[in-house]
Amino acid sequence: MSRPHTAPDRSFDRIRAVNWREGRLRLLDQRLLPTREEYLSIDSASDCARAIRDMVVRGAPAIGIAAAYGVVLAVTARHRQDPKHWKQAIGADLTTLSAARPTAVNLAWAIARMRDAIAGAPEGDPVAEVLAAARRIHEEDVAANRAMGRFGAELIAPGSSVLTHCNTGALATGGYGTALGVVRAGAASGRIVHTYANETRPWLQGARLTVWELMRENIPVTLIADSAAAYLMQQGKVQWAIVGADRVAANGDVANKIGTYMVALAARHHGVRFMVVAPTSTIDLDTPSGDAIPIEQRPEAEVVACGAQRMAPEGAAAWNPAFDVTPAALVDVLVTERGVVHAPNLAKIAAVMKHPA
Ligand code: MRU
């Protein structure tokens, strides 16, 4: 008897880490991946801020989307407590959410959009209206990722291999991903035949999350130690390095996961093209250059240990910046949902931001 033929899923878009269900925010707990797949159910703005701070949800766009739903939780609670004065009371919740992590500008951007939704919400029952605003942020992000995936993949010659850093996929966004969106689109069109993932010490977003995500989609991936990236390029194994961003300054400097700068330097030396994939919600015209981007410092404990296993001697000092800044001069292309910016600079970034959404 012949088996029914099921076509392989070539959309490569089956993972959602942030969703809203029955009045609660559900977050796939990324601290537990890849060994456990568990969702946390969040029902207050303060728990949402804690989940962002503790890396239950991480990745610039995903942080913004989670915070937008966190605002919905705040509106629900404040309106229930005091239907007349809830708009004044909610300021404290917005401050708590905004302060959860400093570098990804998508957080401040999403809170600003939700502030506008609150201003326009009816006094009667505001929840449906602010929830619609949060859902729009989420849906727009997925649409932006799909557009960037197409634009980015078109730049890559068929049969290429690429290197990526950190996790920029469905887990880091509303779905599909930024740099991993390009990998998804490139895998679907045959332009990208292989992806190397930096492990991304100390949180191991590459080893734990990117490799899990690509294996889940049946996209070929090989894990490397961060320290192998320059040698990989010297061996001619990749044609592109493709990364996301937590904040792009007005002049095109890019803050992204610690180690990105090192990848960009090695890429320039070896003639490997360096692509940054970021929606316009990650571009911050109020930050003139990379020097002005606040860089999150995380606990020493994350460096002296690997998971539960202590690596360095008791009492060892460690420095743990979570992000670094790649100067615009090292970026070959910046891919946004509005199009591709070659050799980004102040004028080209201003032009892309003027373009209507
Ligand atoms: O500390 P994280 O895991 O939140 O850092 C994430 C990154 O640096 C990503 O590269 C960036 O947010 C872009 S994700 C689409």
Side-chain angles (χ1 to χ4, degrees), residues 310-325:
R310 190 169 186 94
M311 309 298 288
E314 208 59 56
W319 182 52
N320 188 14
F323 302 96
D324 59 25
V325 176

PDB file of all heavy atoms in Angstrom, residues 310-325:
ATOM      1  N   ARG A 310      31.116  25.335  37.287  1.00  0.00           N
ATOM      2  CA  ARG A 310      32.109  26.381  37.486  1.00  0.00           C
ATOM      3  C   ARG A 310      33.328  26.110  36.597  1.00  0.00           C
ATOM      4  O   ARG A 310      33.804  24.991  36.504  1.00  0.00           O
ATOM      5  CB  ARG A 310      32.511  26.413  38.969  1.00  0.00           C
ATOM      6  CG  ARG A 310      33.327  27.604  39.254  1.00  0.00           C
ATOM      7  CD  ARG A 310      33.600  27.932  40.675  1.00  0.00           C
ATOM      8  NE  ARG A 310      34.281  29.209  40.601  1.00  0.00           N
ATOM      9  CZ  ARG A 310      33.690  30.369  40.694  1.00  0.00           C
ATOM     10  NH1 ARG A 310      32.412  30.433  40.966  1.00  0.00           N
ATOM     11  NH2 ARG A 310      34.366  31.491  40.553  1.00  0.00           N
ATOM     12  N   MET A 311      33.842  27.157  35.906  1.00  0.00           N
ATOM     13  CA  MET A 311      34.979  26.977  35.000  1.00  0.00           C
ATOM     14  C   MET A 311      36.249  27.624  35.565  1.00  0.00           C
ATOM     15  O   MET A 311      37.338  27.135  35.329  1.00  0.00           O
ATOM     16  CB  MET A 311      34.701  27.622  33.622  1.00  0.00           C
ATOM     17  CG  MET A 311      33.385  27.232  32.989  1.00  0.00           C
ATOM     18  SD  MET A 311      33.252  25.479  32.649  1.00  0.00           S
ATOM     19  CE  MET A 311      34.367  25.322  31.285  1.00  0.00           C
ATOM     20  N   ALA A 312      36.094  28.782  36.208  1.00  0.00           N
ATOM     21  CA  ALA A 312      37.255  29.538  36.687  1.00  0.00           C
ATOM     22  C   ALA A 312      37.413  29.317  38.191  1.00  0.00           C
ATOM     23  O   ALA A 312      36.450  28.936  38.859  1.00  0.00           O
ATOM     24  CB  ALA A 312      37.044  31.020  36.388  1.00  0.00           C
ATOM     25  N   PRO A 313      38.619  29.595  38.713  1.00  0.00           N
ATOM     26  CA  PRO A 313      38.820  29.385  40.157  1.00  0.00           C
ATOM     27  C   PRO A 313      37.879  30.250  40.988  1.00  0.00           C
ATOM     28  O   PRO A 313      37.482  31.340  40.541  1.00  0.00           O
ATOM     29  CB  PRO A 313      40.272  29.811  40.400  1.00  0.00           C
ATOM     30  CG  PRO A 313      40.872  30.006  39.070  1.00  0.00           C
ATOM     31  CD  PRO A 313      39.805  30.069  38.033  1.00  0.00           C
ATOM     32  N   GLU A 314      37.532  29.788  42.146  1.00  0.00           N
ATOM     33  CA  GLU A 314      36.733  30.552  43.107  1.00  0.00           C
ATOM     34  C   GLU A 314      37.372  31.928  43.284  1.00  0.00           C
ATOM     35  O   GLU A 314      38.596  32.032  43.396  1.00  0.00           O
ATOM     36  CB  GLU A 314      36.744  29.774  44.440  1.00  0.00           C
ATOM     37  CG  GLU A 314      35.538  29.965  45.331  1.00  0.00           C
ATOM     38  CD  GLU A 314      34.223  29.583  44.678  1.00  0.00           C
ATOM     39  OE1 GLU A 314      34.073  28.442  44.208  1.00  0.00           O
ATOM     40  OE2 GLU A 314      33.350  30.469  44.631  1.00  0.00           O
ATOM     41  N   GLY A 315      36.575  33.004  43.230  1.00  0.00           N
ATOM     42  CA  GLY A 315      37.113  34.350  43.463  1.00  0.00           C
ATOM     43  C   GLY A 315      37.639  35.022  42.202  1.00  0.00           C
ATOM     44  O   GLY A 315      38.083  36.167  42.249  1.00  0.00           O
ATOM     45  N   ALA A 316      37.631  34.329  41.049  1.00  0.00           N
ATOM     46  CA  ALA A 316      38.138  34.936  39.805  1.00  0.00           C
ATOM     47  C   ALA A 316      37.268  36.122  39.406  1.00  0.00           C
ATOM     48  O   ALA A 316      36.046  36.074  39.549  1.00  0.00           O
ATOM     49  CB  ALA A 316      38.144  33.893  38.690  1.00  0.00           C
ATOM     50  N   ALA A 317      37.926  37.196  38.923  1.00  0.00           N
ATOM     51  CA  ALA A 317      37.178  38.359  38.441  1.00  0.00           C
ATOM     52  C   ALA A 317      36.809  38.136  36.974  1.00  0.00           C
ATOM     53  O   ALA A 317      37.535  37.458  36.233  1.00  0.00           O
ATOM     54  CB  ALA A 317      38.039  39.606  38.580  1.00  0.00           C
ATOM     55  N   ALA A 318      35.665  38.678  36.541  1.00  0.00           N
ATOM     56  CA  ALA A 318      35.266  38.553  35.129  1.00  0.00           C
ATOM     57  C   ALA A 318      34.609  39.849  34.666  1.00  0.00           C
ATOM     58  O   ALA A 318      34.047  40.600  35.480  1.00  0.00           O
ATOM     59  CB  ALA A 318      34.310  37.384  34.958  1.00  0.00           C
ATOM     60  N   TRP A 319      34.707  40.117  33.374  1.00  0.00           N
ATOM     61  CA  TRP A 319      34.053  41.298  32.759  1.00  0.00           C
ATOM     62  C   TRP A 319      33.039  40.740  31.786  1.00  0.00           C
ATOM     63  O   TRP A 319      33.384  39.887  30.969  1.00  0.00           O
ATOM     64  CB  TRP A 319      35.127  42.116  32.037  1.00  0.00           C
ATOM     65  CG  TRP A 319      34.629  43.371  31.390  1.00  0.00           C
ATOM     66  CD1 TRP A 319      33.881  44.358  31.975  1.00  0.00           C
ATOM     67  CD2 TRP A 319      34.868  43.785  30.034  1.00  0.00           C
ATOM     68  NE1 TRP A 319      33.645  45.367  31.065  1.00  0.00           N
ATOM     69  CE2 TRP A 319      34.235  45.036  29.869  1.00  0.00           C
ATOM     70  CE3 TRP A 319      35.553  43.239  28.952  1.00  0.00           C
ATOM     71  CZ2 TRP A 319      34.266  45.749  28.679  1.00  0.00           C
ATOM     72  CZ3 TRP A 319      35.588  43.944  27.755  1.00  0.00           C
ATOM     73  CH2 TRP A 319      34.955  45.190  27.625  1.00  0.00           C
ATOM     74  N   ASN A 320      31.784  41.209  31.861  1.00  0.00           N
ATOM     75  CA  ASN A 320      30.736  40.566  31.086  1.00  0.00           C
ATOM     76  C   ASN A 320      29.808  41.550  30.367  1.00  0.00           C
ATOM     77  O   ASN A 320      28.616  41.637  30.675  1.00  0.00           O
ATOM     78  CB  ASN A 320      29.921  39.639  32.010  1.00  0.00           C
ATOM     79  CG  ASN A 320      28.931  38.777  31.248  1.00  0.00           C
ATOM     80  OD1 ASN A 320      29.004  38.661  30.025  1.00  0.00           O
ATOM     81  ND2 ASN A 320      28.002  38.163  31.972  1.00  0.00           N
ATOM     82  N   PRO A 321      30.379  42.308  29.387  1.00  0.00           N
ATOM     83  CA  PRO A 321      29.479  43.146  28.580  1.00  0.00           C
ATOM     84  C   PRO A 321      28.631  42.243  27.692  1.00  0.00           C
ATOM     85  O   PRO A 321      29.161  41.336  27.047  1.00  0.00           O
ATOM     86  CB  PRO A 321      30.448  43.999  27.746  1.00  0.00           C
ATOM     87  CG  PRO A 321      31.696  43.190  27.662  1.00  0.00           C
ATOM     88  CD  PRO A 321      31.763  42.333  28.902  1.00  0.00           C
ATOM     89  N   ALA A 322      27.325  42.496  27.619  1.00  0.00           N
ATOM     90  CA  ALA A 322      26.440  41.610  26.849  1.00  0.00           C
ATOM     91  C   ALA A 322      26.438  41.953  25.357  1.00  0.00           C
ATOM     92  O   ALA A 322      25.994  41.132  24.540  1.00  0.00           O
ATOM     93  CB  ALA A 322      25.023  41.690  27.409  1.00  0.00           C
ATOM     94  N   PHE A 323      26.918  43.144  25.007  1.00  0.00           N
ATOM     95  CA  PHE A 323      26.883  43.590  23.600  1.00  0.00           C
ATOM     96  C   PHE A 323      28.178  44.298  23.255  1.00  0.00           C
ATOM     97  O   PHE A 323      28.911  44.725  24.146  1.00  0.00           O
ATOM     98  CB  PHE A 323      25.690  44.545  23.379  1.00  0.00           C
ATOM     99  CG  PHE A 323      24.374  43.907  23.735  1.00  0.00           C
ATOM    100  CD1 PHE A 323      23.795  44.089  24.979  1.00  0.00           C
ATOM    101  CD2 PHE A 323      23.731  43.060  22.833  1.00  0.00           C
ATOM    102  CE1 PHE A 323      22.597  43.453  25.325  1.00  0.00           C
ATOM    103  CE2 PHE A 323      22.541  42.424  23.164  1.00  0.00           C
ATOM    104  CZ  PHE A 323      21.974  42.626  24.408  1.00  0.00           C
ATOM    105  N   ASP A 324      28.453  44.424  21.959  1.00  0.00           N
ATOM    106  CA  ASP A 324      29.547  45.287  21.523  1.00  0.00           C
ATOM    107  C   ASP A 324      29.048  46.134  20.359  1.00  0.00           C
ATOM    108  O   ASP A 324      27.903  45.984  19.917  1.00  0.00           O
ATOM    109  CB  ASP A 324      30.823  44.490  21.192  1.00  0.00           C
ATOM    110  CG  ASP A 324      30.627  43.442  20.087  1.00  0.00           C
ATOM    111  OD1 ASP A 324      29.719  43.604  19.244  1.00  0.00           O
ATOM    112  OD2 ASP A 324      31.402  42.457  20.068  1.00  0.00           O
ATOM    113  N   VAL A 325      29.918  47.050  19.913  1.00  0.00           N
ATOM    114  CA  VAL A 325      29.499  47.956  18.838  1.00  0.00           C
ATOM    115  C   VAL A 325      30.404  47.741  17.630  1.00  0.00           C
ATOM    116  O   VAL A 325      31.630  47.829  17.736  1.00  0.00           O
ATOM    117  CB  VAL A 325      29.567  49.436  19.297  1.00  0.00           C
ATOM    118  CG1 VAL A 325      29.226  50.363  18.133  1.00  0.00           C
ATOM    119  CG2 VAL A 325      28.616  49.675  20.462  1.00  0.00           C
TER     120      VAL A 325
END
